[in-house]
Amino acid sequence: RRLVKVGLHWGSISKGTDLVGMAAQGDKSSALEDDNAQTAPIKFKILAGQSNYKLAEEVAAFLGMPLMQATVGRFSDGEVSVQLKESVRNVHIFVIQSTCPPVNENLVELFFMIRCLRRASAKTVTAIIPYFGYARQDRKTQARVPISASDVAMMLESAGTDRVLAVDLHCGQIQGFFHHTPVDNLTALRDIAPYLVREVIPNFKDDPICIVSPDAGGVARAKLFMEVLGKLGVCNLSLAITVKHRSSPGVVEGMNVVGEIEGKHCIIVDDMIDTAGTLCKSADTLMEMGAKSVLACATHGLFNGSALERIEKSVMSHVIVADTIPAKKNAPSKIKIVSCSALLAEAIACIQFGQSVSSLFEVRMTPVAQRISLADVQP
C-alpha cells in the first residue's frame, strides 16, 4: 500500500496536508524501485460552482490542493458566464455544484461548466452534486406532468458527464435515470450519527431512544440510521413511523404514529427539511404522545419560507443537518451543521485512483480530519 511507501500511518493526515504531493511521491518512489521508471504526475483538478463555494474550498483543503482557477458568474442581463483560467486538456475534472435554490440558475450553471470543460478537452468530468434538485419529482403523480428528475439526468448525460456523485438522493431509483453514467449515492447520515453520539446522546443517559421515520418511504433510511447508532454502541433503540394525511402538497391535515414512543427520546430522520411545517407538526405530535424530547436529523437543510421561524418556536431541542446546502443567515442556535467535506474528499480520492467507494459506507467514529489519505489509495 502506498501508505507504507510514503512512511505514514492511517489517521496521521490532517486537513491541509499536501495529499496529492504525497501520493505522487509514493508513485515516484515505487517507480524508481521498479526499473527506475518514471511515474506521471496525478492530473486532476476541482472546479467549484457558485452554489456552495465554501464546501468546495473545504474539500480541496482536505485534499491539499487549490481549487481550479475559473470565473463563474453572471453577465449584466443575468446569463451565466463561465471562463476557465487554466488548461484542462487531458485532465480529470471534478465539478462541485449543488442544485439548490435558486435551482434553475445553479442547474444551468452546472450544465455550462460541464460543456465548457468538454470543449476544453478535459479527459473526464465528474459532477459532484451534494444536493440534487428536482429529486422529489421522480414519478408521475398525476396526468400530464413531467418526471423532472429523469429529465435532469438526461440533461447532465447529454452535457457529457462521465460520472455523478450525489449525497442522499431523495429516492434511490434516480440512479437508474442515468442510462450511461454511473452514479454513487453517498450518505451523510454516517457522519451525523457519530456527531449525535459525541454531542447529544450522552445527555439522554440510559433513557430509551426511538428513531422516527416521517413517512413510509423513509423507513429504510431510519432503519439504517438505527443500525449505525447500534454499531456505535447506542443501546435501547426502537423504530416508529408517522403516517401523514395530506389535503394538498405541503399541507398536513392529520397524523398518526405507528410504534411506541412514550417515555423515549425521539430522533426524526429524513433526507431533507424544506419548509419544516410537517417536521414541526410531527414533533408536536410526538411530544403530545409522551415523548421525553424530540430532535431531527436530515442531510439537506433547505429551510425555505418560514422554516427558520418554525424551528425556533418548535419543541425540538436540536435540528442537525449536513452542509450540502449553504447555511442560512441568522439561523437559530437549534440548527447544528455537520460537514460532509471529508466524505466528498475521500470519494474523489477513490474515484480518481480506481478504488471502491464501499469503504465510505462504513461507520467510523474517527474525526473527519484524520480520515483523508490519498496516500492510502493505490492507483
Side-chain angles (χ1 to χ4, degrees), residues 10-324:
W10 179 259
S12 66
I13 299 177
S14 59
K15 187 174 181 178
T17 305
D18 185 7
L19 302 178
V20 177
M22 290 190 297
Q25 183 64 34
D27 286 344
K28 186 174 180 180
S29 300
S30 177
L32 290 174
E33 292 172 1
D34 299 331
D35 300 327
N36 295 321
Q38 293 295 324
T39 303
I42 301 169
K43 289 188 176 181
F44 77 96
K45 297 179 181 180
I46 299 175
L47 175 61
Q50 297 299 299
S51 66
N52 200 339
Y53 197 84
K54 181 181 177 181
L55 176 61
E57 286 183 319
E58 292 178 356
V59 171
F62 271 113
L63 291 170
M65 62 188 297
L67 289 173
M68 181 180 159
Q69 295 296 313
T71 300
V72 181
R74 302 291 183 271
F75 290 109
S76 58
D77 60 354
E79 293 179 354
V80 174
S81 169
V82 179
Q83 183 181 12
L84 307 179
K85 299 293 187 179
E86 54 189 272
S87 174
V88 297
R89 186 177 297 277
N90 204 34
V91 177
H92 300 280
I93 305 296
F94 294 85
V95 183
I96 301 179
Q97 174 82 333
S98 281
T99 52
C100 53
V103 179
N104 295 331
E105 282 202 15
N106 289 329
L107 180 59
V108 170
E109 185 178 293
L110 174 62
F111 178 84
F112 285 147
M113 284 192 292
I114 295 171
R115 292 304 306 148
C116 184
L117 290 166
R118 276 301 176 204
R119 287 193 166 96
S121 302
K123 189 169 186 177
T124 63
V125 178
T126 299
I128 299 179
I129 311 175
Y131 172 73
F132 191 94
Y134 287 102
R136 285 176 283 184
Q137 299 184 47
D138 61 330
R139 61 192 182 279
K140 294 185 69 172
T141 56
Q142 53 185 326
R144 298 176 295 280
V145 296
I147 304 178
S148 302
S150 177
D151 298 331
V152 169
M154 292 172 58
M155 176 181 175
L156 294 176
E157 280 194 316
S158 65
T161 309
D162 293 287
R163 191 182 196 96
V164 172
L165 180 68
V167 181
D168 284 312
L169 291 169
H170 183 64
C171 52
Q173 65 261 31
I174 291 177
Q175 297 173 81
F177 293 160
F178 292 85
H179 299 291
H180 308 291
T181 304
V183 180
D184 295 309
N185 183 26
L186 304 178
T187 177
L189 294 178
R190 293 180 183 271
D191 283 328
I192 293 175
Y195 175 86
L196 271 176
V197 173
R198 292 193 306 266
E199 306 293 336
V200 180
I201 290 180
N203 299 325
F204 297 165
K205 299 180 180 180
D206 295 327
D207 295 338
I209 300 172
C210 184
I211 309 300
V212 181
S213 171
D215 50 47
V219 172
R221 184 182 302 108
K223 184 179 178 182
L224 171 64
F225 193 71
M226 184 174 69
E227 292 173 352
V228 170
L229 290 178
K231 291 179 180 179
L232 294 176
V234 180
C235 303
N236 207 359
L237 295 167
S238 60
L239 185 66
I241 307 169
T242 60
V243 181
K244 299 182 288 288
H245 309 286
R246 297 183 183 272
S247 57
S248 60
V251 180
V252 178
E253 278 190 346
M255 186 174 298
N256 299 104
V257 179
V258 179
E260 181 59 46
I261 54 94
E262 185 175 359
K264 299 180 180 180
H265 297 282
C266 293
I267 302 175
I268 302 174
V269 179
D270 207 351
D271 65 315
M272 69 177 70
I273 301 173
D274 192 353
T275 61
T278 302
L279 176 65
C280 293
K281 187 173 183 64
S282 297
D284 291 338
T285 302
L286 293 172
M287 290 298 291
E288 290 171 2
M289 297 183 67
K292 280 192 172 183
S293 69
V294 180
L295 63 91
C297 295
T299 300
H300 312 294
L302 291 165
F303 302 132
N304 292 319
S306 303
L308 296 180
E309 296 177 9
R310 291 192 180 106
I311 291 173
E312 178 66 29
K313 297 176 182 178
S314 72
V315 297
M316 292 181 290
S317 58
H318 298 84
V319 174
I320 304 169
V321 296
D323 59 348
T324 56

Side-chain angles (χ1 to χ4, degrees), residues 1-8 21-23 25-27 29 375-376:
R1 298 169 67 85
R2 294 175 54 231
L3 189 69
V4 178
K5 295 175 185 174
V6 296
L8 296 170
M22 290 190 297
Q25 183 64 34
D27 286 344
S29 300
D376 191 38

Side-chain angles (χ1 to χ4, degrees), residues 1 3-4 7-13 346 350 359-360 362 364 366-377:
R1 298 169 67 85
L3 189 69
V4 178
L8 296 170
H9 60 85
W10 179 259
S12 66
I13 299 177
E346 286 183 272
C350 291
S359 62
L360 303 181
E362 296 174 0
R364 290 169 290 187
T366 311
V368 292
Q370 299 179 14
R371 281 173 34 185
I372 311 302
S373 181
L374 284 186
D376 191 38
V377 184

